[in-house]
Amino acid sequence: MIPNKNQFLLIISVCFLFIGVFFPTNLNADLIYFPFEYNQIYKEKYALELELADIRKQHQNELNRLEEEKKDLQSQIRNLTEDLELEKRNRAKEQDDYSDKLRDYDMRLRSLEKKGTDKERTLAEENRKREEKDRAEIEALKRKLEEKERECLQKEQKLRDTYESKIDELKERIRNLEEELASLRKLTKEQKRELERLSEQTKEFEEKLAKEITSGQIRLKRFHNKLIINIDDKISFDSGSSELKPAILPAIEKIRDILASYPENYIVVEGHTDNVPIKTKFRNNWHLSSERALSVLEFILQNKSLNPKNFSSAGYGEHQPIVPNSTRENKALNRRVDIVVIPRATSSLGANHD
């Protein structure tokens, strides 16, 4: 009978375990990794390489698109410049024509003034008015030309600024993505093991809290480097109170027993409220959320096998909602206590779980 793939991996794993047990001093520590661990690391590396290739492809596509925009803008600038030069030549020609007319008017005016008749003086006055009108038209056309030139220059500068802004924005986005990829590559073997252990813990919570999760008392949210256990506010506390209800205590007891099995974790108990101002003995929502987090923390630490040095609590009031406080249902979701489980080796990866 030929073994299938899973049976073959099991046989190889047993062989490595046998060698590690009976020949512990002759093996390097790296040889005790199981094949599925190497497969997982290889898949993560391959996924990162694909993501980097995709990012580079997006970067190149964006650069090509921006280059086309640049060419189009340069073409518009050339067209505007040509229009401006044509307008200048037309205005120069008109100015020459008006100058010829003015000289002709001057000659006619001097001729009429010499004759001294009333009719001639009337014609001279009309010519003078016409000359003033022509000069006014020339000045108006000149101002119009200058204004159009300024508009062209402003439009050109605006287009250039927009193009440079898009380039800078794209470069910043690429830089951020590269930093994120570099951060993922810096994960040590110990941090990867801790993340795998966090997956095991998550599975244990899901199994042992299946009833509470189904009933809505508990919600689990798994992020890259942490697990958040969300305790339903309606079942945990009366409105405006920080005293735990008896109905939620069995669920928290299960949670603290599981936490005791993983002493290498950091635990942060966070209290949150909605944005409705408090009108009880508490000064504000900060005070209420802090007291609720502290109530949960104190109940958890009744298990003496837990090390208090690994625990902390915080109250955030209404300032970290998970959904907008726009409906009654959303406000109920924002009123919560979160138990945040952070593996010790991955705590340097950041504690923000928004």
Side-chain angles (χ1 to χ4, degrees):
M1 178 177 176
I2 299 175
N4 59 28
K5 182 178 179 182
N6 292 333
Q7 291 173 336
F8 178 74
L9 293 177
L10 179 59
I11 292 171
I12 293 299
S13 301
V14 172
C15 290
F16 275 99
L17 180 61
F18 179 82
I19 294 172
V21 172
F22 290 94
F23 301 94
T25 59
N26 296 326
L27 293 177
N28 187 281
D30 291 338
L31 293 179
I32 66 174
Y33 287 108
F34 293 116
F36 72 88
E37 291 181 302
Y38 287 102
N39 290 339
Q40 184 173 356
I41 293 172
Y42 178 78
K43 289 178 180 178
E44 291 178 355
K45 176 178 177 295
Y46 185 69
L48 288 173
E49 290 175 349
L50 289 178
E51 185 176 354
L52 179 59
D54 185 61
I55 290 172
R56 287 175 176 168
K57 183 177 180 181
Q58 293 179 13
H59 176 206
Q60 187 60 45
N61 292 338
E62 187 68 15
L63 287 178
N64 293 338
R65 186 181 65 79
L66 291 175
E67 185 65 23
E68 292 297 324
E69 289 185 5
K70 178 182 176 182
K71 291 180 181 179
D72 184 62
L73 294 176
Q74 290 175 343
S75 176
Q76 294 181 32
I77 291 173
R78 285 195 299 270
N79 292 337
L80 290 172
T81 303
E82 292 173 0
D83 292 342
L84 182 61
E85 291 298 324
L86 179 61
E87 191 71 16
K88 285 182 178 179
R89 289 195 296 270
N90 292 338
R91 294 298 172 267
K93 182 179 180 181
E94 290 178 0
Q95 189 171 5
D96 292 338
D97 293 339
Y98 284 125
S99 297
D100 293 338
K101 288 182 180 180
L102 289 175
R103 285 194 297 271
D104 182 65
Y105 290 150
D106 287 336
M107 293 176 63
R108 292 175 62 187
L109 179 61
R110 287 192 292 272
S111 176
L112 291 174
E113 287 176 347
K114 289 180 181 179
K115 294 180 179 180
T117 63
D118 293 340
K119 184 176 180 179
E120 290 170 346
R121 283 194 293 272
T122 300
L123 292 174
E125 181 64 20
E126 290 178 355
N127 286 332
R128 185 186 63 79
K129 291 180 178 180
R130 181 174 295 178
E131 179 183 352
E132 291 178 352
K133 181 180 179 181
D134 290 340
R135 286 175 179 172
E137 290 180 355
I138 291 173
E139 290 298 324
L141 290 173
K142 184 185 289 187
R143 287 193 297 270
K144 184 178 180 181
L145 178 62
E146 292 173 350
E147 180 64 25
K148 188 171 183 179
E149 184 177 1
R150 282 194 298 271
E151 290 178 358
C152 291
L153 292 175
Q154 290 174 357
K155 188 173 182 180
E156 178 185 356
Q157 184 62 40
K158 184 177 179 180
L159 292 173
R160 186 179 291 109
D161 292 342
T162 302
Y163 170 76
E164 292 175 354
S165 176
K166 288 182 178 180
I167 290 294
D168 292 340
E169 181 181 349
L170 180 60
K171 289 180 178 178
E172 180 65 21
R173 182 182 174 190
I174 293 173
R175 185 162 49 251
N176 292 335
L177 290 173
E178 290 176 345
E179 290 176 356
E180 183 177 350
L181 287 175
S183 175
L184 291 174
R185 293 193 186 99
K186 290 179 181 177
L187 284 175
T188 64
K189 292 182 179 179
E190 180 63 25
Q191 288 172 334
K192 290 182 179 179
R193 292 193 192 99
E194 289 295 331
L195 292 178
E196 291 175 0
R197 284 173 57 82
L198 184 61
S199 297
E200 296 174 1
Q201 297 173 47
T202 303
K203 184 179 295 185
E204 183 173 352
F205 276 110
E206 290 174 346
E207 292 175 353
K208 294 185 178 181
L209 296 172
K211 179 180 178 181
E212 289 78 3
I213 294 173
T214 302
S215 65
Q217 294 182 7
I218 300 296
R219 287 179 289 271
L220 296 181
K221 292 182 287 184
R222 168 68 194 279
F223 292 87
H224 174 66
N225 64 322
K226 60 178 62 65
L227 170 66
I228 299 177
I229 306 167
N230 175 249
I231 303 175
D232 184 77
D233 171 82
K234 182 172 59 177
I235 302 174
S236 306
F237 302 98
D238 289 325
S239 178
S241 172
S242 64
E243 183 176 352
L244 284 168
K245 289 183 178 181
I248 198 62
L249 298 182
I252 301 179
E253 287 176 352
K254 290 184 181 181
I255 293 171
R256 74 183 182 186
D257 291 342
I258 299 174
L259 293 177
S261 302
Y262 300 91
E264 71 282 356
N265 293 330
Y266 288 120
I267 310 298
V268 182
V269 183
E270 300 178 349
H272 302 270
T273 67
D274 57 25
N275 63 347
V276 179
I278 194 70
K279 296 180 181 179
T280 64
K281 63 179 181 179
F282 299 101
R283 295 189 298 275
N284 48 45
N285 283 332
W286 288 96
H287 189 190
L288 175 61
S289 63
S290 299
E291 289 296 326
R292 286 183 170 179
L294 189 59
S295 295
V296 174
L297 176 62
E298 289 175 341
F299 185 79
I300 291 175
L301 291 179
Q302 289 179 8
N303 186 331
K304 299 305 179 183
S305 62
L306 294 170
N307 187 355
K309 292 183 179 180
N310 295 334
F311 288 78
S312 63
S313 68
Y316 293 98
E318 70 268 23
H319 300 291
Q320 288 193 7
I322 55 177
V323 290
N325 286 293
S326 55
T327 64
R328 181 180 299 178
E329 292 76 13
N330 284 4
K331 291 179 179 180
L333 290 174
N334 290 330
R335 295 191 302 269
R336 67 198 190 279
V337 173
D338 289 338
I339 301 175
V340 184
V341 181
I342 307 172
R344 187 184 303 272
T346 63
S347 60
S348 62
L349 297 180
N352 185 11
H353 57 270
D354 288 343

